[in-house]
Amino acid sequence: MQIRSFQLSDYRLVAELLEEVLSEECCEETMGAFARQLSWDSDLVLVAESAGNIVGVLIGTIDHHKGYVYRIAVRDSFRGQGVGRQLVSQMGKRFKQRKVLKVLIAEDKHNELLRPFYDSLGIRSVDIVQLTQPLAIVAG
């Protein structure tokens, strides 16, 4: 498996993955944030690729010196195989390269479902933040 930056040619496959994995409401919110992040900094959108297929995606953003993990999605058949962990680890390295002082998980009703995953990574609840504004405003 390879973790790499999103490429424009990945768009359709990433959109299909998000539609498959996320609820309809979450997918709609995520697609807007995904498009905005691509226009700002596509290096903070990571994909996990296995045998030429996109099996996971992580959308991150930076606001001042804080890095945010906005959304992570992993194809059902690849869950429990460390894909999410590798995506978060690679995003952490990118945040560190950019001198991010603190990494936060964007807490919303959709990410709340992933709390056990983040707990398994050792991310304390203090590192999870409720966004008071949409991602477009936080990162813009």
Side-chain angles (χ1 to χ4, degrees), residues 14 50 53 66 74 84:
V14 168
S50 178
N53 296 312
K66 294 179 184 170
V74 175

Side-chain angles (χ1 to χ4, degrees), residues 54-112:
I54 303 294
V55 299
V57 63
L58 188 151
I59 301 167
T61 196
I62 296 174
D63 178 35
H64 297 47
H65 294 290
K66 294 179 184 170
Y68 292 86
V69 172
Y70 174 70
R71 188 76 69 227
I72 188 167
V74 175
R75 207 171 289 284
D76 288 344
S77 59
F78 282 82
R79 289 188 184 160
Q81 298 179 31
V83 175
R85 185 176 297 275
Q86 289 180 50
L87 284 164
V88 171
S89 174
Q90 184 61 38
M91 184 61 71
K93 290 176 185 174
R94 292 192 183 202
F95 286 155
K96 187 174 182 178
Q97 290 170 345
R98 292 172 184 225
K99 311 289 189 243
V100 165
L101 301 175
K102 185 161 183 85
V103 177
L104 303 165
I105 307 301
E107 182 177 37
D108 61 17
K109 63 184 175 183
H110 309 297
N111 276 343
E112 183 63 31

